[in-house]
Structure formats: C-alpha cells, structure tokens
Amino acid sequence: MKNENLYNYILGIADNSLILGQRMGELCGHGPTLETDIACTNISLDLFGQVRSYFQYAAKIAGDGRTEDDIAMLRKERDYKNVLLSEQPNTNFAYTIGRQFLFDVYHLAFLTELQKSSDLTLSAIANKCVKEVSYHERFSLDWVKRLGDGTEESNQKMQEAINDLWTYTDELFHQTGADKAMVAEGVGVDVTKLKENYYKSVSELLEEARLKTPESKWFQKGGKQGIHTEHLGYLLADLQYMQRTYPNMEW
C-alpha cells in the first residue's frame, strides 16, 4: 500500500466512531424515555455517517478493490484500532452516558484540531463532523449533570460509572506509529497536546454535576494496537453477522 500510515491513521479515527456507534445503536428501543431513546439512536446514526466518510477515503487509499463495507465488516478483532473506552458495554444508563461524555469531550477537541489538517479530505470530514459532535457533547453533559445532581441513587450510579470508565481515558492520548508519522506531515492531530486541557475540562464539568474526579492513576491501554477487552468480540459478532452469514451481500 502506497500510503499505509495514512490508511492506518484513518482507521484509528474511524474505528472509535464505528464501535461507539454500534454501542449506542444497541439502545434503540431501550432508552429510559422515548425522547432519549431517539436521541441515542440519532447519535449512533451520526457516528455511522462519519464512519462512512472515513472508510470511503480509506478504501480509496487502499486501492485494492475493497469497499467501505469490507473495511467495516470483514476485519478480525485484532485489526480494529478503537480505544478500549468505546467498546465498554451499556451496563446501565449511567455507564452509557459516562462513556459517551468521556469520549465526546475528547472527540470534539480532536475534530476541532483535525479541521486544520493539511489533508483536505480529512479537514472537510472534520468540518462536517464537528457540528454533530458538539451536539453529542451537549447531550451527554446534560445527562451527566441531571444524574449527578439528581437523586442520591442517580448520583451514586453516575459516580460509579465515571470511576469504572476513568481507567480507559488515558489511552485517548497515546500515539501509534501512524499517528506520529501523520503529525510529522501536518496531516494528523498531536493528541498529546490535548491531554492537559481534557482532564481540566472534564474535572470542572464533573464538579458542576456534583461528581468527584477519580484519583486513580492506573490506566488500561491496548485498543490502538488491536488488543481489546472481551467485550469487542461479542460486539463484532452482532455487527458482522449479515456479512459473515451471507458473504458479499449488497443492499
């Protein structure tokens, strides 16, 4: 492949949206209220729309006949480069909102910087996506505040979710070889520069929601290298079912 670093860089971005979109899609028909159910489903659709743009570009770069669907559906578990945070299950609604919030704050900051990319295609995708993700952040933050500053039980559940998901946040700022190569070329975002402001913003927002910022300095990583938690395999079994059962099927 002529530009393997760019291809892998795009996968690293897109896989986060793909896997998180699948997780949010699981809530279709299971939200706590009809309005929230529809909102979560719309966020899932937004993320899948973003994935299409990224994978169409990745397929063009690969130039080996693969389509966006092939890249999305026909890779093995170790070939997915999403962060571990995005694949965590919908344990309860607090976990769903906590996962979305912790990712949204990062995602919005990332896309804001990606708009400055020297790669015009990535810059255009980021310019479109940032509008959607700004809504995602408002939605998840609103729910974090409602649950954190709600009843004693809702506060406890929201705090528990943040505490458990916190261990996956540091990986957002790790760089792969492809990341470093793209930053050097002016294409990619140096995520290490986003870290300090991310934790500062998250801590301030949690305080507004009467929640405590976890003090743990123990973090998990591996997703960007294709080393995932046990949850991803089950998620992919659902995501890939149709393509695996009926190979080469097209809509």
Side-chain angles (χ1 to χ4, degrees):
M1 191 183 302
K2 185 177 180 180
N3 202 335
E4 188 170 358
N5 280 329
L6 179 56
Y7 175 81
N8 286 324
Y9 182 69
I10 294 170
L11 292 192
I13 302 171
D15 283 347
N16 288 330
S17 295
L18 174 68
I19 300 305
L20 188 57
Q22 179 70 9
R23 276 287 182 236
M24 292 300 283
E26 293 173 2
L27 289 176
C28 185
H30 299 281
T33 65
L34 180 59
E35 180 182 5
T36 306
D37 186 302
I38 294 171
C40 290
T41 304
N42 282 337
I43 289 173
S44 174
L45 291 172
D46 284 345
L47 292 170
F48 278 117
Q50 295 169 19
V51 171
R52 288 200 65 195
S53 297
Y54 287 125
F55 282 169
Q56 285 170 358
Y57 188 30
K60 181 179 178 181
I61 293 168
D64 55 8
R66 281 183 294 168
T67 67
E68 59 182 283
D69 290 332
D70 295 332
I71 296 173
M73 304 293 183
L74 299 181
R75 284 179 289 154
K76 296 180 180 179
E77 183 177 336
R78 291 293 294 266
D79 296 327
Y80 286 83
K81 308 302 181 184
N82 58 284
V83 293
L84 300 178
L85 176 65
S86 64
E87 66 197 47
Q88 298 310 301
N90 297 312
T91 304
N92 58 39
F93 190 62
Y95 276 81
T96 297
I97 290 300
R99 182 190 62 218
Q100 191 68 35
F101 165 68
L102 292 172
F103 182 76
D104 285 342
V105 175
Y106 161 80
H107 199 193
L108 183 57
F110 175 84
L111 290 174
T112 300
E113 292 301 311
L114 189 62
Q115 291 179 99
K116 305 171 187 176
S117 173
S118 61
D119 185 301
L120 297 181
T121 301
L122 285 180
S123 176
I125 294 173
N127 188 54
K128 174 181 178 295
C129 295
V130 76
K131 301 169 187 174
E132 299 171 341
V133 174
S134 63
Y135 162 73
H136 299 173
E137 187 194 43
R138 289 197 304 273
F139 172 82
S140 60
L141 174 58
D142 179 58
W143 268 106
V144 167
K145 290 179 178 178
R146 291 171 72 178
L147 294 174
D149 197 19
T151 66
E152 181 180 347
E153 181 179 8
S154 70
N155 176 276
Q156 179 182 348
K157 287 183 178 295
M158 194 69 249
Q159 185 68 65
E160 180 184 4
I162 293 295
N163 290 346
D164 288 353
L165 294 167
W166 194 256
T167 188
Y168 302 109
T169 56
D170 189 64
E171 187 187 13
L172 293 166
F173 309 102
H174 288 197
Q175 288 183 308
T176 64
D179 293 341
K180 293 176 181 177
M182 291 299 97
V183 169
E185 293 182 22
V187 172
V189 176
D190 186 348
V191 292
T192 63
K193 295 181 179 180
L194 305 178
K195 183 175 180 178
E196 182 179 353
N197 192 58
Y198 171 85
Y199 282 114
K200 181 176 182 291
S201 297
V202 168
S203 295
E204 290 173 352
L205 294 170
L206 289 176
E207 186 177 355
E208 289 181 29
R210 293 182 57 244
L211 297 167
K212 297 177 181 178
T213 300
E215 297 180 0
S216 174
K217 301 299 181 184
W218 186 83
F219 297 101
Q220 286 188 274
K221 61 182 180 179
K224 290 187 175 184
Q225 287 73 42
I227 304 170
H228 297 279
T229 65
E230 68 274 18
H231 305 299
L232 184 64
Y234 294 104
L235 183 150
L236 291 177
D238 285 336
L239 176 67
Q240 298 181 342
Y241 173 78
M242 293 296 286
Q243 279 294 330
R244 296 295 189 185
T245 306
Y246 304 100
N248 303 316
M249 183 183 68
E250 296 182 2
W251 293 106

mmCIF file of all heavy atoms in Angstrom, residues 10 22 25 46 71 80 83 90 94 97 102 109 122-123 135 160 172 192 198 216 222 225 229-230 241 243:
data_model
loop_
_atom_site.group_PDB
_atom_site.id
_atom_site.type_symbol
_atom_site.label_atom_id
_atom_site.label_comp_id
_atom_site.label_asym_id
_atom_site.label_seq_id
_atom_site.Cartn_x
_atom_site.Cartn_y
_atom_site.Cartn_z
ATOM 1 N N ILE A 10 -6.414 6.766 9.512
ATOM 2 C CA ILE A 10 -7.855 6.916 9.299
ATOM 3 C C ILE A 10 -8.624 5.825 10.047
ATOM 4 O O ILE A 10 -9.650 6.091 10.679
ATOM 5 C CB ILE A 10 -8.189 6.880 7.795
ATOM 6 C CG1 ILE A 10 -7.586 8.103 7.097
ATOM 7 C CG2 ILE A 10 -9.702 6.838 7.580
ATOM 8 C CD1 ILE A 10 -7.648 8.031 5.591
ATOM 9 N N GLN A 22 -22.066 1.490 17.237
ATOM 10 C CA GLN A 22 -22.717 0.197 17.443
ATOM 11 C C GLN A 22 -23.250 0.086 18.872
ATOM 12 O O GLN A 22 -24.367 -0.387 19.093
ATOM 13 C CB GLN A 22 -21.732 -0.938 17.157
ATOM 14 C CG GLN A 22 -22.291 -2.339 17.358
ATOM 15 C CD GLN A 22 -23.326 -2.744 16.329
ATOM 16 O OE1 GLN A 22 -23.535 -2.046 15.345
ATOM 17 N NE2 GLN A 22 -23.975 -3.881 16.541
ATOM 18 N N GLY A 25 -26.276 2.233 19.209
ATOM 19 C CA GLY A 25 -27.378 1.638 18.462
ATOM 20 C C GLY A 25 -28.082 0.538 19.224
ATOM 21 O O GLY A 25 -29.260 0.254 18.983
ATOM 22 N N ASP A 46 -25.327 9.381 13.519
ATOM 23 C CA ASP A 46 -24.308 10.398 13.226
ATOM 24 C C ASP A 46 -22.929 9.746 13.141
ATOM 25 O O ASP A 46 -22.147 10.016 12.213
ATOM 26 C CB ASP A 46 -24.270 11.472 14.324
ATOM 27 C CG ASP A 46 -25.429 12.451 14.243
ATOM 28 O OD1 ASP A 46 -26.105 12.496 13.197
ATOM 29 O OD2 ASP A 46 -25.661 13.168 15.239
ATOM 30 N N ILE A 71 -14.173 -2.878 4.729
ATOM 31 C CA ILE A 71 -13.298 -2.400 5.805
ATOM 32 C C ILE A 71 -14.044 -2.413 7.140
ATOM 33 O O ILE A 71 -13.484 -2.781 8.176
ATOM 34 C CB ILE A 71 -12.782 -0.985 5.494
ATOM 35 C CG1 ILE A 71 -11.907 -1.016 4.231
ATOM 36 C CG2 ILE A 71 -11.996 -0.421 6.670
ATOM 37 C CD1 ILE A 71 -11.472 0.350 3.741
ATOM 38 N N TYR A 80 -9.013 -4.145 14.489
ATOM 39 C CA TYR A 80 -9.731 -2.922 14.851
ATOM 40 C C TYR A 80 -8.870 -2.108 15.811
ATOM 41 O O TYR A 80 -8.274 -2.652 16.741
ATOM 42 C CB TYR A 80 -11.084 -3.246 15.487
ATOM 43 C CG TYR A 80 -12.094 -3.725 14.474
ATOM 44 C CD1 TYR A 80 -12.120 -5.061 14.058
ATOM 45 C CD2 TYR A 80 -13.008 -2.854 13.899
ATOM 46 C CE1 TYR A 80 -13.033 -5.510 13.110
ATOM 47 C CE2 TYR A 80 -13.923 -3.292 12.950
ATOM 48 C CZ TYR A 80 -13.934 -4.618 12.559
ATOM 49 O OH TYR A 80 -14.829 -5.059 11.608
ATOM 50 N N VAL A 83 -10.176 2.732 20.644
ATOM 51 C CA VAL A 83 -9.759 2.759 22.045
ATOM 52 C C VAL A 83 -10.691 1.873 22.865
ATOM 53 O O VAL A 83 -11.846 1.646 22.497
ATOM 54 C CB VAL A 83 -9.765 4.199 22.605
ATOM 55 C CG1 VAL A 83 -8.685 5.039 21.932
ATOM 56 C CG2 VAL A 83 -11.133 4.852 22.439
ATOM 57 N N ASN A 90 -23.042 -1.333 27.707
ATOM 58 C CA ASN A 90 -24.087 -0.493 28.295
ATOM 59 C C ASN A 90 -24.569 -1.142 29.597
ATOM 60 O O ASN A 90 -25.702 -1.626 29.690
ATOM 61 C CB ASN A 90 -25.255 -0.339 27.317
ATOM 62 C CG ASN A 90 -24.839 0.365 26.045
ATOM 63 O OD1 ASN A 90 -24.191 1.399 26.066
ATOM 64 N ND2 ASN A 90 -25.211 -0.217 24.902
ATOM 65 N N ALA A 94 -26.268 5.020 33.245
ATOM 66 C CA ALA A 94 -25.172 5.870 33.729
ATOM 67 C C ALA A 94 -23.869 5.524 33.015
ATOM 68 O O ALA A 94 -23.089 6.418 32.657
ATOM 69 C CB ALA A 94 -25.011 5.719 35.241
ATOM 70 N N ILE A 97 -24.028 6.937 29.423
ATOM 71 C CA ILE A 97 -23.820 8.381 29.405
ATOM 72 C C ILE A 97 -22.386 8.726 29.793
ATOM 73 O O ILE A 97 -21.755 9.607 29.185
ATOM 74 C CB ILE A 97 -24.826 9.080 30.346
ATOM 75 C CG1 ILE A 97 -26.237 8.981 29.756
ATOM 76 C CG2 ILE A 97 -24.434 10.528 30.580
ATOM 77 C CD1 ILE A 97 -26.395 9.620 28.385
ATOM 78 N N LEU A 102 -17.209 11.031 28.369
ATOM 79 C CA LEU A 102 -15.741 10.992 28.405
ATOM 80 C C LEU A 102 -15.149 10.960 26.997
ATOM 81 O O LEU A 102 -14.072 11.512 26.756
ATOM 82 C CB LEU A 102 -15.265 9.786 29.217
ATOM 83 C CG LEU A 102 -15.564 9.842 30.717
ATOM 84 C CD1 LEU A 102 -15.216 8.517 31.385
ATOM 85 C CD2 LEU A 102 -14.815 10.995 31.384
ATOM 86 N N ALA A 109 -12.643 18.076 20.866
ATOM 87 C CA ALA A 109 -11.328 18.730 20.833
ATOM 88 C C ALA A 109 -10.491 18.198 19.668
ATOM 89 O O ALA A 109 -9.803 18.962 18.981
ATOM 90 C CB ALA A 109 -10.600 18.509 22.155
ATOM 91 N N LEU A 122 -9.591 14.926 4.975
ATOM 92 C CA LEU A 122 -9.778 14.795 6.421
ATOM 93 C C LEU A 122 -10.281 16.093 7.026
ATOM 94 O O LEU A 122 -11.133 16.092 7.924
ATOM 95 C CB LEU A 122 -8.469 14.373 7.092
ATOM 96 C CG LEU A 122 -8.049 12.911 6.927
ATOM 97 C CD1 LEU A 122 -6.739 12.663 7.654
ATOM 98 C CD2 LEU A 122 -9.136 11.974 7.447
ATOM 99 N N SER A 123 -9.754 17.208 6.544
ATOM 100 C CA SER A 123 -10.192 18.507 7.040
ATOM 101 C C SER A 123 -11.676 18.731 6.766
ATOM 102 O O SER A 123 -12.421 19.218 7.632
ATOM 103 C CB SER A 123 -9.369 19.619 6.381
ATOM 104 O OG SER A 123 -9.829 20.893 6.767
ATOM 105 N N TYR A 135 -23.092 18.684 19.399
ATOM 106 C CA TYR A 135 -24.395 18.301 19.953
ATOM 107 C C TYR A 135 -24.251 17.078 20.853
ATOM 108 O O TYR A 135 -24.852 17.011 21.935
ATOM 109 C CB TYR A 135 -25.413 18.000 18.845
ATOM 110 C CG TYR A 135 -26.581 17.198 19.355
ATOM 111 C CD1 TYR A 135 -27.549 17.792 20.171
ATOM 112 C CD2 TYR A 135 -26.697 15.835 19.078
ATOM 113 C CE1 TYR A 135 -28.602 17.047 20.676
ATOM 114 C CE2 TYR A 135 -27.735 15.086 19.588
ATOM 115 C CZ TYR A 135 -28.687 15.692 20.385
ATOM 116 O OH TYR A 135 -29.731 14.959 20.917
ATOM 117 N N GLU A 160 -20.249 5.907 40.088
ATOM 118 C CA GLU A 160 -19.701 4.560 39.883
ATOM 119 C C GLU A 160 -19.281 4.358 38.429
ATOM 120 O O GLU A 160 -18.212 3.787 38.152
ATOM 121 C CB GLU A 160 -20.750 3.513 40.274
ATOM 122 C CG GLU A 160 -20.276 2.073 40.091
ATOM 123 C CD GLU A 160 -21.360 1.054 40.396
ATOM 124 O OE1 GLU A 160 -22.517 1.460 40.680
ATOM 125 O OE2 GLU A 160 -21.057 -0.160 40.343
ATOM 126 N N LEU A 172 -6.712 7.596 25.153
ATOM 127 C CA LEU A 172 -7.110 8.554 24.122
ATOM 128 C C LEU A 172 -5.921 9.380 23.633
ATOM 129 O O LEU A 172 -5.902 9.839 22.490
ATOM 130 C CB LEU A 172 -8.188 9.495 24.666
ATOM 131 C CG LEU A 172 -9.559 8.880 24.994
ATOM 132 C CD1 LEU A 172 -10.381 9.847 25.833
ATOM 133 C CD2 LEU A 172 -10.302 8.500 23.722
ATOM 134 N N THR A 192 -1.340 14.298 22.202
ATOM 135 C CA THR A 192 -0.684 14.525 23.493
ATOM 136 C C THR A 192 -0.896 15.962 23.968
ATOM 137 O O THR A 192 -0.887 16.234 25.170
ATOM 138 C CB THR A 192 0.826 14.224 23.420
ATOM 139 O OG1 THR A 192 1.448 15.122 22.485
ATOM 140 C CG2 THR A 192 1.078 12.790 22.969
ATOM 141 N N TYR A 198 -8.047 18.428 28.386
ATOM 142 C CA TYR A 198 -9.121 17.437 28.503
ATOM 143 C C TYR A 198 -9.433 17.154 29.968
ATOM 144 O O TYR A 198 -10.590 17.257 30.404
ATOM 145 C CB TYR A 198 -8.723 16.144 27.795
ATOM 146 C CG TYR A 198 -9.672 14.986 28.031
ATOM 147 C CD1 TYR A 198 -10.813 14.829 27.251
ATOM 148 C CD2 TYR A 198 -9.425 14.048 29.030
ATOM 149 C CE1 TYR A 198 -11.693 13.772 27.464
ATOM 150 C CE2 TYR A 198 -10.287 12.992 29.260
ATOM 151 C CZ TYR A 198 -11.424 12.855 28.472
ATOM 152 O OH TYR A 198 -12.292 11.816 28.690
ATOM 153 N N SER A 216 -7.584 7.817 40.719
ATOM 154 C CA SER A 216 -6.773 6.694 40.246
ATOM 155 C C SER A 216 -5.839 7.100 39.106
ATOM 156 O O SER A 216 -6.240 7.809 38.183
ATOM 157 C CB SER A 216 -7.678 5.558 39.758
ATOM 158 O OG SER A 216 -6.915 4.514 39.174
ATOM 159 N N GLY A 222 -4.267 -0.551 24.948
ATOM 160 C CA GLY A 222 -4.129 -1.717 24.072
ATOM 161 C C GLY A 222 -4.990 -1.665 22.831
ATOM 162 O O GLY A 222 -4.659 -2.243 21.810
ATOM 163 N N GLN A 225 -3.565 -0.763 19.511
ATOM 164 C CA GLN A 225 -2.680 -1.788 18.955
ATOM 165 C C GLN A 225 -3.451 -3.064 18.602
ATOM 166 O O GLN A 225 -2.854 -4.079 18.230
ATOM 167 C CB GLN A 225 -1.560 -2.130 19.951
ATOM 168 C CG GLN A 225 -0.483 -1.063 20.093
ATOM 169 C CD GLN A 225 -0.960 0.157 20.851
ATOM 170 O OE1 GLN A 225 -1.657 0.043 21.856
ATOM 171 N NE2 GLN A 225 -0.588 1.337 20.381
ATOM 172 N N THR A 229 -10.593 -5.611 25.025
ATOM 173 C CA THR A 229 -11.268 -6.315 26.107
ATOM 174 C C THR A 229 -12.149 -7.403 25.510
ATOM 175 O O THR A 229 -12.374 -7.456 24.296
ATOM 176 C CB THR A 229 -12.138 -5.349 26.938
ATOM 177 O OG1 THR A 229 -13.201 -4.845 26.104
ATOM 178 C CG2 THR A 229 -11.312 -4.178 27.462
ATOM 179 N N GLU A 230 -12.675 -8.267 26.390
ATOM 180 C CA GLU A 230 -13.513 -9.362 25.907
ATOM 181 C C GLU A 230 -14.796 -8.877 25.262
ATOM 182 O O GLU A 230 -15.451 -9.608 24.516
ATOM 183 C CB GLU A 230 -13.851 -10.313 27.061
ATOM 184 C CG GLU A 230 -14.757 -9.739 28.134
ATOM 185 C CD GLU A 230 -14.017 -8.969 29.219
ATOM 186 O OE1 GLU A 230 -12.851 -8.576 28.986
ATOM 187 O OE2 GLU A 230 -14.600 -8.755 30.291
ATOM 188 N N TYR A 241 -22.621 -9.915 11.581
ATOM 189 C CA TYR A 241 -23.419 -11.115 11.356
ATOM 190 C C TYR A 241 -23.866 -11.292 9.911
ATOM 191 O O TYR A 241 -23.667 -12.354 9.304
ATOM 192 C CB TYR A 241 -24.646 -11.123 12.274
ATOM 193 C CG TYR A 241 -25.596 -12.259 11.974
ATOM 194 C CD1 TYR A 241 -25.310 -13.557 12.406
ATOM 195 C CD2 TYR A 241 -26.741 -12.060 11.207
ATOM 196 C CE1 TYR A 241 -26.156 -14.607 12.110
ATOM 197 C CE2 TYR A 241 -27.598 -13.106 10.908
ATOM 198 C CZ TYR A 241 -27.300 -14.372 11.353
ATOM 199 O OH TYR A 241 -28.135 -15.415 11.042
ATOM 200 N N GLN A 243 -22.831 -9.934 7.037
ATOM 201 C CA GLN A 243 -21.754 -10.124 6.052
ATOM 202 C C GLN A 243 -21.072 -11.480 6.224
ATOM 203 O O GLN A 243 -20.609 -12.072 5.246
ATOM 204 C CB GLN A 243 -20.727 -9.003 6.171
ATOM 205 C CG GLN A 243 -21.122 -7.719 5.472
ATOM 206 C CD GLN A 243 -21.187 -7.867 3.956
ATOM 207 O OE1 GLN A 243 -20.463 -8.669 3.367
ATOM 208 N NE2 GLN A 243 -22.050 -7.104 3.327
#
